[in-house]
Amino acid sequence: MKFATKPWAEPYKIKVVEPLKVTSAEDRKKYIQEAGYNTFLLRSEDVYIDLLTDSGTNAMSDYQWAGLMLGDEAYAGSKNFYNLEANVKKYYGYKYLVPTHQGRGAENMLSQCLIKKGQYVPGNMYFTTTRLHQELAGGTFVDVIVDEAHDPQNQSAFKGNVCLQKFEDLIKKVGGENIAYITVGATVNMAGGQPVSMENIKAVNAMAHQHGIKVVLDATRAMENAYYIQQKEAGYANKSIAEILKEFASYSDAATMSGKKDLLVNIGGFVAVNDREVFEELRNMVVIYEGLHTYGGLAGRDMEAMARGIEEAVRDENIAARVNQVAYLGNLLDEYNIPMVKPFGGHAIFLDAKRFYEHIPQSQYPAQALAANLYVNSGVRGMERGIVSAGRNKETGEEHMPNLELVRLTMPRRVYTQAHLDLVAYSVAEVYENRHSAKGLKMIYEPKYLRFFQALFETV
Ligand code: F0G
């Protein structure tokens, strides 16, 4: 018998397909050079299997596509807004909702609304856009994630947890009144998609509230986080993802959301809060940056697709297939002894470029080089998540030197088959076999904000 355990399978079948262009290694060498060795600057039609991101790259269901036809494109009071509001209340539990075009629109407004210049904003590792908006609002980000998160080989189940000691030390040092709020990202993208336990967010909530500090959940992949709690935390095995998600969100005062991930859409986000005054300020602010408070930069049809996406995504079988598809790729790569972040993340496999390219120093951007080489090998596109993504210290201008120097192979939801993933694993293994001849990179153009999106490189 081939199977030791019962295999999982997707809880959906394919109705529409999008043909892929096949390119040669010669072509791809030219394309990546023209793109300055930055996978963000490739044309998508030149990519064969696109694992750049799971953001906005999801396949929608027939139920969601049908919802597009029911778009109420009124400037004010669209019925799709009310459907979305009802589902956010039902599944996340927050009282008030302001839609935004995507996650960073929500981050911008909440940061401006809650951060006073000079305040600190602790968080369980940074996310690029989240930290930048906190800094632009005059805040200083402080990493309070557990130490294990910075170690790709540490196998703890909840490597996304906030270190309560670090949080308490910060409160003692600067005083609760100088902390705008604490951000809890779940799962933690930059740590490799690592989850936060229920016990941890509960304790964070208690400590924060004792000092008058708000808890803001980055709910972008909180459904995937709920799956890990169901699978790994004592007492949750018999609870549904929906129940766990709602309990988890109940330990926060507000949430920013990139609907382009968990919620199975191509565009959309929101900020949700429980505090009436904060809501009123956000509702007023949204008209400056995004659009009226009943559409927030989205078409009515997009809000409908997101409202329906919440209902679908939260089903247990959906999240199980999602996370297990990522693990399928991880397990294949393990057979080739590829260095990766463990445990596997919910949305992506993260290759450990420091161990992959031991001979390339971090100052020569090994993860950036690996992402480029993987593309040339097979047309598989991943993303750098290391020193380039980490950027510079806002005070000193020095490059941040993160412990984690990673290439992310991110799984769009419901898009690729196991055969695609077999090919990805094969290509990574081939690049690994040829690792000794790989060269580092030199940055030749560096944009001021979020440099990883547009920076240019050449080989050294
Ligand atoms: N928070 C997290 C944890 C994210 O992963 C992202 C986006 C955002 C916030 C911002 O949301 O893109 O809708 O404005 N992450 C994408 C990624 C870009 O590829 O991981 P957005």
Side-chain angles (χ1 to χ4, degrees):
M1 171 97 160
K2 185 175 171 209
F3 303 107
T5 53
K6 187 175 174 186
W8 62 273
E10 293 82 354
Y12 51 84
K13 58 184 177 177
I14 295 166
K15 178 147 31 191
V16 176
V17 298
E18 179 182 334
L20 297 173
K21 186 170 107 183
V22 178
T23 52
S24 68
E26 254 344 274
D27 291 339
R28 293 191 296 269
K29 245 183 223 158
K30 188 172 119 232
Y31 299 149
I32 197 71
Q33 206 175 354
E34 285 168 2
Y37 297 88
N38 185 342
T39 53
F40 278 103
L41 301 178
L42 290 166
R43 288 173 184 240
S44 121
E45 65 171 349
D46 299 331
V47 172
Y48 180 46
I49 298 176
D50 201 351
L51 305 184
L52 182 73
T53 176
D54 62 333
S55 184
T57 51
N58 307 301
M60 293 206 295
S61 67
D62 50 3
Y63 177 61
Q64 288 176 291
W65 279 102
L68 295 192
M69 287 306 294
L70 301 175
D72 171 1
E73 307 305 342
Y75 190 88
S78 161
K79 72 177 177 218
N80 312 115
F81 165 77
Y82 295 103
N83 292 347
L84 178 63
E85 187 189 43
N87 273 355
V88 170
K89 262 189 205 161
K90 180 171 168 191
Y91 291 101
Y92 291 87
Y94 301 106
K95 288 195 190 128
Y96 306 107
L97 171 80
V98 178
T100 57
H101 76 285
Q102 60 182 71
R104 67 199 74 179
E107 291 166 354
N108 171 37
M109 293 197 302
L110 198 71
S111 302
Q112 285 200 44
C113 183
L114 294 183
I115 300 171
K116 289 195 207 82
K117 213 170 159 26
Q119 278 186 321
Y120 294 85
V121 193
N124 55 344
M125 203 173 264
Y126 79 104
F127 184 71
T128 53
T129 57
T130 320
R131 181 179 68 189
L132 179 58
H133 280 300
Q134 290 165 354
E135 289 174 354
L136 290 173
T140 297
F141 167 81
V142 183
D143 184 10
V144 293
I145 202 166
V146 291
D147 286 339
E148 297 91 295
H150 295 280
D151 175 3
Q153 297 187 72
N154 183 300
Q155 300 261 359
S156 312
F158 291 100
K159 276 163 77 172
N161 279 352
V162 171
C163 172
L164 295 168
Q165 190 61 53
K166 288 184 194 169
F167 184 30
E168 193 176 9
D169 289 349
L170 180 72
I171 298 171
K172 278 199 189 127
K173 191 169 143 207
V174 304
E177 68 285 1
N178 290 316
I179 297 180
Y181 55 85
I182 178 167
T183 316
V184 179
T187 57
V188 183
N189 191 353
M190 301 303 280
Q194 304 299 323
V196 174
S197 71
M198 192 72 85
E199 187 189 5
N200 187 250
I201 194 166
K202 208 168 164 175
V204 168
N205 176 283
M207 186 178 287
H209 285 185
Q210 201 189 333
H211 295 276
I213 301 166
K214 285 188 165 63
V215 179
V216 174
L217 174 65
D218 181 338
T220 297
R221 298 183 185 84
M223 289 189 192
E224 291 167 15
N225 196 88
Y227 178 75
Y228 284 107
I229 291 174
Q230 186 188 56
Q231 298 300 309
K232 296 185 180 178
E233 191 166 350
Y236 289 93
N238 296 320
K239 295 214 161 128
S240 67
I241 298 295
E243 286 171 299
I244 297 169
L245 178 69
K246 199 152 179 187
E247 183 185 341
F248 197 87
S250 77
Y251 297 120
S252 65
D253 304 289
T256 54
M257 179 72 186
S258 171
K260 303 170 72 173
K261 281 81 165 180
D262 262 358
L263 305 188
L264 300 169
V265 288
N266 305 122
I267 192 72
F270 58 77
V271 48
V273 298
N274 289 329
D275 185 308
R276 175 88 209 171
E277 273 175 40
V278 175
F279 166 63
E280 278 170 10
E281 201 173 327
L282 290 169
R283 188 175 64 165
N284 193 210
M285 202 181 259
V286 76
V287 301
I288 314 170
Y289 293 109
E290 308 270 327
L292 194 72
H293 59 278
T294 57
Y295 76 86
L298 295 170
R301 55 180 173 268
D302 295 327
M303 290 189 284
E304 187 62 30
M306 190 154 57
R308 290 175 179 224
I310 297 177
E311 294 166 20
E312 279 188 2
V314 80
R315 285 184 208 142
D316 285 40
E317 69 274 18
N318 178 73
I319 300 288
R322 156 81 177 145
V323 176
N324 284 314
Q325 194 186 27
V326 175
Y328 174 81
L329 175 61
N331 288 328
L332 282 179
L333 291 171
D334 232 4
E335 289 176 23
Y336 294 108
N337 294 317
I338 305 296
M340 289 176 277
V341 175
K342 301 260 189 81
F344 301 137
H347 66 304
I349 293 299
F350 290 73
L351 307 178
D352 184 351
K354 273 192 188 165
R355 281 184 292 147
F356 203 106
Y357 284 156
E358 279 171 337
H359 61 291
I360 302 180
Q362 194 168 21
S363 58
Q364 290 182 11
Y365 313 111
Q368 189 77 28
L370 176 54
N373 292 342
L374 185 60
Y375 169 72
V376 172
N377 177 274
S378 55
V380 172
R381 170 157 73 170
M383 175 195 294
E384 193 265 7
R385 293 276 81 159
I387 178 171
V388 184
S389 296
R392 293 180 182 274
N393 181 299
K394 73 167 176 145
E395 245 78 268
T396 66
E398 296 282 303
E399 279 188 313
H400 290 296
M401 295 288 240
N403 252 335
L404 299 178
E405 177 70 21
L406 310 173
V407 170
R408 190 180 71 174
L409 302 176
T410 336
M411 203 71 69
R413 293 165 190 77
R414 309 193 287 204
V415 171
Y416 290 113
T417 65
Q418 286 197 6
H420 286 119
L421 302 186
D422 292 347
L423 183 74
V424 172
Y426 179 87
S427 312
V428 174
E430 224 171 50
V431 174
Y432 190 55
E433 262 172 28
N434 297 326
R435 64 190 176 280
H436 301 295
S437 60
K439 294 199 173 58
L441 296 171
K442 188 171 92 188
M443 198 183 293
I444 53 171
Y445 166 69
E446 178 177 357
K448 185 166 170 207
Y449 300 114
L450 304 175
R451 62 182 188 171
F452 55 95
F453 284 129
Q454 291 143 348
L456 299 174
F457 302 82
E458 60 187 26
T459 45
V460 292

